[in-house]
């Protein structure tokens, strides 16, 4: 990972306007940039809503049992998230928060929701990583431990089940994929899956190797999601638009193609720089290079997470 953590390699992966600053300022600027995105709302069912913007996709289950919220956006979005939740729940409190993994854009607002009475649920590795300093080498960013009030209170190893508002939620851990903390959430009656950051719809994903992430684990995670999905299942990605199983198949096939090409380059003795210079994703960039990461960036990500 050290090869990507220095110099120009990091420069290409960091958000615009953040690249020349020292790490503490860089982290603050990165968080502010992510948190400044507007929140958009999409109704998925009578009692299910997707909020999108400042840190991926949040799903809110509402009803008389209180709100169940999956992921919590970046910290600067808190006032707008609070307003959105109040609009969806009325006087109903947030009863449960589920984190799909440890990254700040999915956990930053755990603390205010916990202070309001919510129980935070996550995989045991999420609590472990949030409890200690973490470095996301692929971005060259260092994160301090999260405050105690933000840490998940209920943790599990394999899975967790919850019933609320006439819905059954099944939360299950997947083998290291985006990180080693990833879970997917199945809404049984609504025929809906929240994939967390195992799935970036329509763009090259971040795979955080310093948090245990692996490209082969991303592929396996997609296979797991597809096993759970029926033809008419809707899938909420960690980032990107609401998806169908066909969208997920396309994404999974891109990951498999990318891993195969870079694996061959690496096995032949090509260095990271030589692999980038080979331009193995030229034919993929038109469909997948429209997000934060471009083809050269994703070669680095795949090379370092094989």
């Amino acid at each position: 990972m050290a090869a990507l953590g220095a110099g120009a390699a990091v420069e290409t992966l960091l958000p615009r306007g953040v690249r020349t600053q020292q790490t503490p300022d860089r982290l603050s600027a990165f968080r502010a940039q992510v948190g400044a995105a507007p929140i958009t709302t999409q109704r998925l069912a009578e009692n299910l809503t997707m909020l999108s913007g400042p840190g991926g996709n949040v799903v809110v289950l509402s009803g008389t049992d209180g709100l169940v919220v999956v992921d919590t956006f970046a910290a600067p979005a808190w006032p707008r998230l609070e307003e959105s939740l109040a609009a969806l729940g009325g006087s109903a409190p947030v009863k449960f928060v589920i984190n799909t993994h440890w990254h700040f854009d999915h956990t930053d607002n755990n603390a205010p929701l916990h202070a309001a009475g919510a129980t935070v649920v996550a995989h045991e590795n999420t609590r472990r990583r949030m409890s200690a300093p973490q470095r996301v080498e692929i971005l060259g960013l260092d994160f301090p431990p999260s405050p105690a009030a933000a840490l998940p209170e209920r943790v599990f190893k394999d899975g967790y089940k919850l019933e609320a508002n006439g819905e059954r939620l099944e939360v299950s851990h997947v083998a290291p994929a985006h990180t080693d903390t990833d879970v997917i959430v199945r809404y049984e009656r609504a025929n809906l899956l929240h994939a967390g950051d195992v799935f970036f719809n329509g763009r090259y994903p971040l795979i955080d190797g310093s948090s245990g992430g692996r490209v082969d684990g991303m592929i396996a995670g997609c296979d797991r999601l597809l096993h759970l999905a029926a033809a008419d299942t809707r899938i909420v990605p960690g980032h990107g638009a609401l998806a169908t199983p066909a969208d997920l198949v396309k994404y999974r096939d891109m990951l498999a193609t990318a891993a195969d090409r870079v694996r061959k380059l690496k096995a032949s003795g090509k260095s990271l720089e030589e692999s980038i210079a080979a331009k193995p994703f030229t034919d993929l960039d038109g469909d997948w290079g429209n997000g934060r990461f471009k083809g050269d960036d994703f070669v680095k990500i795949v090379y370092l997470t094989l």
Side-chain angles (χ1 to χ4, degrees), residues 185-247:
V185 183
R186 180 184 180 215
Y187 299 80
E188 180 180 317
R189 292 174 179 167
N191 192 20
L192 180 77
L193 295 170
H194 194 317
D197 279 7
V198 173
F199 183 18
F200 283 58
N201 190 18
R203 65 195 73 180
Y204 290 128
L206 170 65
I207 307 172
D208 182 4
S210 53
S211 295
R214 295 291 180 266
V215 64
D216 290 335
M218 293 284 275
I219 296 166
C222 291
D223 288 338
R224 173 85 167 276
L225 285 160
L226 289 168
H227 177 74
L228 292 172
D232 59 346
T233 299
R234 291 168 300 165
I235 305 171
V236 175
H239 299 266
L242 185 68
T244 65
D247 296 323

XYZ file of all heavy atoms in Angstrom, residues 185-247:
465
model
N -28.012 -5.607 4.005
C -29.292 -5.597 4.713
C -30.396 -6.018 3.746
O -30.557 -5.421 2.676
C -29.605 -4.203 5.287
C -30.908 -4.242 6.092
C -28.452 -3.696 6.158
N -31.147 -7.023 4.151
C -32.273 -7.504 3.348
C -33.576 -7.105 4.023
O -33.794 -7.384 5.209
C -32.206 -9.027 3.209
C -33.346 -9.623 2.384
C -33.277 -11.130 2.382
N -34.350 -11.737 1.602
C -34.948 -12.875 1.916
N -34.568 -13.555 2.985
N -35.925 -13.347 1.165
N -34.446 -6.437 3.281
C -35.800 -6.106 3.726
C -36.708 -7.150 3.095
O -37.035 -7.071 1.891
C -36.190 -4.702 3.284
C -35.311 -3.597 3.844
C -34.068 -3.326 3.274
C -35.713 -2.836 4.931
C -33.258 -2.316 3.777
C -34.915 -1.815 5.441
C -33.684 -1.571 4.851
O -32.885 -0.571 5.354
N -37.126 -8.123 3.895
C -37.781 -9.311 3.347
C -39.091 -8.995 2.650
O -39.325 -9.420 1.512
C -38.003 -10.322 4.477
C -38.670 -11.608 4.040
C -38.866 -12.574 5.195
O -37.949 -12.733 6.015
O -39.966 -13.152 5.282
N -39.962 -8.273 3.304
C -41.297 -8.045 2.747
C -41.284 -7.032 1.601
O -42.089 -7.126 0.669
C -42.251 -7.619 3.855
C -42.514 -8.757 4.834
C -43.345 -8.358 6.030
N -43.575 -9.509 6.907
C -44.046 -9.436 8.146
N -44.359 -8.250 8.668
N -44.213 -10.523 8.870
N -40.379 -6.079 1.664
C -40.284 -5.073 0.603
C -39.487 -5.563 -0.602
O -39.424 -4.869 -1.618
C -39.645 -3.799 1.150
N -38.855 -6.744 -0.471
C -38.049 -7.292 -1.564
C -36.969 -6.294 -1.975
O -36.798 -5.957 -3.143
C -38.934 -7.651 -2.758
C -38.198 -8.478 -3.804
O -37.177 -9.096 -3.517
N -38.717 -8.482 -5.021
N -36.219 -5.833 -0.961
C -35.212 -4.790 -1.137
C -33.924 -5.221 -0.460
O -33.940 -5.820 0.616
C -35.718 -3.478 -0.525
C -34.794 -2.263 -0.607
C -34.821 -1.670 -2.019
C -35.221 -1.193 0.416
N -32.801 -4.896 -1.084
C -31.485 -5.130 -0.494
C -30.736 -3.819 -0.396
O -30.755 -3.004 -1.327
C -30.664 -6.097 -1.362
C -31.167 -7.526 -1.499
C -30.378 -8.254 -2.594
C -31.032 -8.274 -0.176
N -30.078 -3.591 0.740
C -29.113 -2.489 0.855
C -27.740 -3.136 0.816
O -27.364 -3.883 1.720
C -29.324 -1.716 2.156
C -28.605 -0.385 2.189
N -27.303 -0.222 1.740
C -29.000 0.846 2.620
C -26.946 1.043 1.891
N -27.957 1.712 2.412
N -26.974 -2.837 -0.234
C -25.697 -3.516 -0.469
C -24.528 -2.847 0.221
O -23.428 -3.412 0.223
C -25.432 -3.583 -1.968
N -24.735 -1.654 0.817
C -23.588 -0.938 1.341
C -22.561 -0.725 0.235
O -22.875 -0.729 -0.960
N -21.298 -0.557 0.626
C -20.279 -0.230 -0.363
C -19.676 -1.451 -1.047
O -18.643 -1.340 -1.724
C -19.191 0.625 0.279
C -19.586 2.082 0.374
O -20.756 2.395 0.069
O -18.746 2.914 0.762
N -20.323 -2.597 -0.912
C -19.986 -3.721 -1.781
C -20.365 -3.374 -3.230
O -19.776 -3.893 -4.173
C -20.716 -4.998 -1.312
C -20.525 -6.155 -2.292
C -20.234 -5.403 0.082
N -21.302 -2.451 -3.392
C -21.847 -2.105 -4.706
C -21.814 -0.597 -4.898
O -22.464 0.150 -4.178
C -23.273 -2.637 -4.791
C -23.990 -2.444 -6.110
C -23.317 -2.155 -7.293
C -25.376 -2.583 -6.162
C -23.991 -1.992 -8.491
C -26.058 -2.428 -7.354
C -25.366 -2.134 -8.518
N -21.017 -0.137 -5.877
C -21.027 1.251 -6.350
C -21.684 1.208 -7.725
O -21.074 0.735 -8.689
C -19.607 1.796 -6.486
C -18.911 2.185 -5.202
C -18.731 1.268 -4.177
C -18.404 3.471 -5.041
C -18.067 1.618 -3.014
C -17.728 3.838 -3.884
C -17.566 2.910 -2.863
N -22.887 1.671 -7.855
C -23.612 1.530 -9.113
C -23.115 2.520 -10.162
O -23.142 3.734 -9.956
C -25.110 1.739 -8.887
C -25.936 1.357 -10.099
O -25.481 0.640 -10.981
N -27.180 1.826 -10.141
N -22.636 1.992 -11.297
C -22.270 2.825 -12.421
C -20.938 3.521 -12.312
O -20.669 4.452 -13.080
N -20.070 3.084 -11.411
C -18.769 3.733 -11.246
C -17.751 2.755 -10.671
O -18.125 1.769 -10.046
C -18.902 4.951 -10.331
C -19.304 4.608 -8.908
C -19.776 5.811 -8.123
N -21.089 6.254 -8.561
C -21.742 7.291 -8.033
N -21.190 7.983 -7.060
N -22.928 7.632 -8.463
N -16.482 3.061 -10.879
C -15.441 2.274 -10.241
C -15.516 2.475 -8.724
O -15.650 3.609 -8.253
C -14.060 2.717 -10.710
C -13.701 2.381 -12.137
C -13.232 3.380 -13.002
C -13.776 1.077 -12.621
C -12.861 3.084 -14.314
C -13.416 0.767 -13.930
C -12.963 1.778 -14.773
O -12.599 1.481 -16.067
N -15.412 1.411 -7.937
C -15.527 1.559 -6.489
C -14.193 1.837 -5.805
O -13.116 1.540 -6.341
C -16.040 0.184 -6.063
C -15.355 -0.751 -7.018
C -15.339 -0.016 -8.344
N -14.274 2.372 -4.606
C -13.159 2.353 -3.676
C -13.132 0.985 -3.008
O -14.165 0.490 -2.551
C -13.344 3.441 -2.608
C -12.379 3.389 -1.413
C -10.950 3.638 -1.850
C -12.802 4.390 -0.347
N -11.953 0.369 -2.977
C -11.744 -0.850 -2.201
C -10.632 -0.526 -1.216
O -9.509 -0.215 -1.622
C -11.367 -2.045 -3.089
C -12.395 -2.234 -4.209
C -11.261 -3.316 -2.253
C -11.997 -3.279 -5.246
N -10.936 -0.544 0.058
C -10.020 -0.077 1.101
C -9.158 -1.233 1.603
O -9.500 -1.912 2.565
C -10.824 0.551 2.234
C -9.958 1.109 3.346
O -8.716 1.079 3.209
O -10.523 1.567 4.356
N -8.021 -1.446 0.942
C -7.136 -2.532 1.322
C -6.571 -2.391 2.713
O -6.309 -3.401 3.386
N -6.412 -1.156 3.200
C -5.880 -0.966 4.547
C -6.895 -1.337 5.615
O -6.540 -1.507 6.783
C -5.407 0.476 4.740
O -6.425 1.389 4.407
N -8.160 -1.490 5.226
C -9.206 -1.981 6.131
C -9.606 -3.412 5.789
O -10.700 -3.854 6.139
C -10.442 -1.077 6.074
O -10.156 0.214 6.562
N -8.730 -4.121 5.097
C -8.988 -5.515 4.778
C -9.719 -5.752 3.483
O -10.030 -6.901 3.154
N -10.036 -4.689 2.728
C -10.793 -4.850 1.494
C -10.029 -5.619 0.436
O -8.799 -5.497 0.327
N -10.752 -6.392 -0.377
C -10.158 -7.198 -1.436
C -11.079 -7.206 -2.649
O -12.292 -7.363 -2.512
C -9.924 -8.637 -0.961
C -8.894 -8.766 0.158
C -7.495 -8.447 -0.359
N -6.475 -8.561 0.672
C -6.028 -7.542 1.412
N -6.559 -6.325 1.246
N -5.088 -7.722 2.305
N -10.497 -7.084 -3.835
C -11.323 -7.069 -5.041
C -12.036 -8.409 -5.224
O -13.215 -8.446 -5.631
C -10.499 -6.688 -6.288
C -9.417 -7.715 -6.597
C -11.417 -6.481 -7.500
N -11.382 -9.512 -4.911
C -12.063 -10.802 -5.026
C -13.214 -10.910 -4.036
O -14.225 -11.559 -4.318
C -11.069 -11.947 -4.813
C -10.079 -12.096 -5.965
O -10.420 -11.677 -7.089
O -8.972 -12.616 -5.740
N -13.076 -10.271 -2.881
C -14.174 -10.229 -1.918
C -15.338 -9.398 -2.418
O -16.506 -9.717 -2.133
N -15.055 -8.343 -3.179
C -16.131 -7.553 -3.786
C -16.926 -8.420 -4.758
O -18.158 -8.383 -4.780
C -15.548 -6.341 -4.508
C -14.917 -5.304 -3.613
S -16.120 -4.275 -2.734
C -16.460 -3.006 -3.959
N -16.206 -9.216 -5.557
C -16.880 -10.098 -6.512
C -17.731 -11.121 -5.768
O -18.897 -11.361 -6.124
C -15.836 -10.783 -7.413
C -15.097 -9.740 -8.257
C -16.504 -11.817 -8.316
C -13.832 -10.254 -8.914
N -17.166 -11.718 -4.719
C -17.919 -12.690 -3.928
C -19.119 -12.046 -3.252
O -20.196 -12.656 -3.146
C -17.006 -13.335 -2.885
N -18.968 -10.805 -2.792
C -20.089 -10.093 -2.187
C -21.205 -9.851 -3.183
O -22.394 -9.958 -2.843
N -20.847 -9.516 -4.413
C -21.862 -9.357 -5.462
C -22.579 -10.673 -5.724
O -23.808 -10.700 -5.907
C -21.214 -8.846 -6.743
S -20.628 -7.150 -6.659
N -21.832 -11.770 -5.747
C -22.462 -13.078 -5.942
C -23.438 -13.377 -4.810
O -24.513 -13.949 -5.036
C -21.394 -14.166 -6.024
C -20.596 -14.119 -7.318
O -21.098 -13.549 -8.302
O -19.468 -14.649 -7.334
N -23.070 -12.997 -3.594
C -23.959 -13.202 -2.442
C -25.242 -12.401 -2.607
O -26.349 -12.898 -2.370
C -23.214 -12.788 -1.167
C -24.046 -12.773 0.099
C -24.131 -14.145 0.762
N -24.677 -14.003 2.091
C -23.949 -13.686 3.169
N -22.642 -13.471 3.059
N -24.515 -13.593 4.352
N -25.115 -11.149 -3.031
C -26.294 -10.315 -3.254
C -27.180 -10.894 -4.344
O -28.407 -10.928 -4.215
C -25.852 -8.896 -3.633
C -25.317 -8.023 -2.501
C -24.491 -6.873 -3.057
C -26.454 -7.488 -1.642
N -26.568 -11.352 -5.418
C -27.345 -11.918 -6.521
C -28.051 -13.198 -6.096
O -29.165 -13.488 -6.567
C -26.433 -12.178 -7.721
C -25.948 -10.908 -8.434
C -24.830 -11.232 -9.406
C -27.107 -10.223 -9.155
N -27.451 -13.953 -5.194
C -28.102 -15.157 -4.670
C -29.351 -14.792 -3.869
O -30.351 -15.529 -3.886
C -27.118 -15.941 -3.798
C -27.716 -17.152 -3.150
N -27.998 -18.315 -3.859
C -28.099 -17.398 -1.863
C -28.525 -19.206 -3.033
N -28.598 -18.677 -1.829
N -29.312 -13.658 -3.179
C -30.448 -13.209 -2.364
C -31.538 -12.546 -3.202
O -32.679 -12.432 -2.760
C -29.972 -12.225 -1.293
C -29.079 -12.780 -0.177
C -28.549 -11.631 0.679
C -29.856 -13.783 0.679
N -31.182 -12.077 -4.389
C -32.104 -11.266 -5.184
C -32.966 -12.121 -6.102
O -32.504 -13.099 -6.683
C -31.319 -10.253 -6.011
N -34.219 -11.714 -6.219
C -35.105 -12.249 -7.260
C -35.047 -11.299 -8.455
O -34.417 -10.242 -8.405
C -36.522 -12.360 -6.725
N -35.715 -11.673 -9.528
C -35.668 -10.853 -10.738
C -36.191 -9.442 -10.497
O -35.738 -8.483 -11.139
C -36.454 -11.526 -11.857
N -37.144 -9.301 -9.568
C -37.759 -7.994 -9.325
C -37.257 -7.316 -8.055
O -37.835 -6.320 -7.614
C -39.280 -8.122 -9.275
C -39.757 -9.078 -8.183
O -38.931 -9.841 -7.641
O -40.968 -9.055 -7.875
N -36.197 -7.829 -7.452
C -35.635 -7.201 -6.254
C -34.986 -5.871 -6.615
O -34.292 -5.756 -7.631
C -34.573 -8.119 -5.613
O -35.187 -9.348 -5.232
C -33.953 -7.469 -4.379
N -35.218 -4.868 -5.776
C -34.520 -3.595 -5.944
C -33.307 -3.590 -5.014
O -33.356 -4.119 -3.908
C -35.454 -2.432 -5.640
C -36.566 -2.264 -6.674
C -37.632 -1.308 -6.204
N -38.249 -1.781 -4.968
C -39.009 -1.032 -4.171
N -39.231 0.229 -4.478
N -39.550 -1.539 -3.086
N -32.226 -2.959 -5.490
C -30.974 -2.977 -4.745
C -30.495 -1.545 -4.539
O -30.305 -0.791 -5.498
C -29.898 -3.798 -5.481
C -30.415 -5.206 -5.779
C -28.619 -3.865 -4.639
C -29.504 -6.014 -6.691
N -30.305 -1.186 -3.270
C -29.746 0.111 -2.916
C -28.228 -0.045 -2.827
O -27.734 -0.782 -1.977
C -30.298 0.613 -1.571
C -29.611 1.911 -1.164
C -31.811 0.802 -1.645
N -27.470 0.603 -3.707
C -26.017 0.522 -3.610
C -25.507 1.467 -2.519
O -26.236 2.373 -2.074
C -25.552 0.986 -4.988
C -26.602 1.962 -5.408
C -27.905 1.447 -4.827
N -24.262 1.271 -2.107
C -23.684 2.229 -1.169
C -23.604 3.615 -1.776
O -23.817 4.621 -1.111
N -23.305 3.652 -3.081
C -23.213 4.906 -3.823
C -23.789 4.674 -5.207
O -23.551 3.640 -5.828
C -21.757 5.378 -3.928
C -21.125 5.651 -2.602
N -21.092 6.905 -2.026
C -20.498 4.815 -1.724
C -20.473 6.836 -0.855
N -20.106 5.578 -0.658
N -24.550 5.642 -5.697
C -25.148 5.529 -7.015
C -26.649 5.339 -6.952
O -27.254 5.255 -5.878
N -27.251 5.250 -8.117
C -28.708 5.190 -8.222
C -29.252 3.829 -7.817
O -28.555 2.809 -7.868
C -29.121 5.498 -9.659
N -30.527 3.824 -7.401
C -31.235 2.586 -7.112
C -31.086 1.644 -8.299
O -31.193 2.053 -9.457
C -32.711 2.888 -6.864
C -33.593 1.714 -6.433
C -33.225 1.228 -5.047
C -35.068 2.138 -6.465
N -30.841 0.355 -8.001
C -30.422 -0.572 -9.051
C -31.317 -1.794 -9.139
O -32.085 -2.108 -8.230
C -28.980 -1.006 -8.809
N -31.152 -2.503 -10.239
C -31.797 -3.793 -10.470
C -30.732 -4.882 -10.401
O -29.520 -4.595 -10.470
C -32.440 -3.830 -11.856
O -31.389 -3.736 -12.852
C -33.410 -2.671 -12.044
N -31.142 -6.159 -10.327
C -30.147 -7.236 -10.409
C -29.323 -7.172 -11.692
O -28.129 -7.505 -11.677
C -31.008 -8.498 -10.337
C -32.181 -8.097 -9.505
C -32.475 -6.682 -9.937
N -29.921 -6.740 -12.784
C -29.168 -6.626 -14.036
C -28.036 -5.608 -13.907
O -26.934 -5.811 -14.443
C -30.102 -6.246 -15.180
N -28.284 -4.505 -13.202
C -27.233 -3.517 -12.955
C -26.105 -4.130 -12.138
O -24.920 -3.877 -12.388
C -27.788 -2.310 -12.195
C -28.828 -1.539 -12.973
O -28.684 -1.414 -14.208
O -29.799 -1.062 -12.346
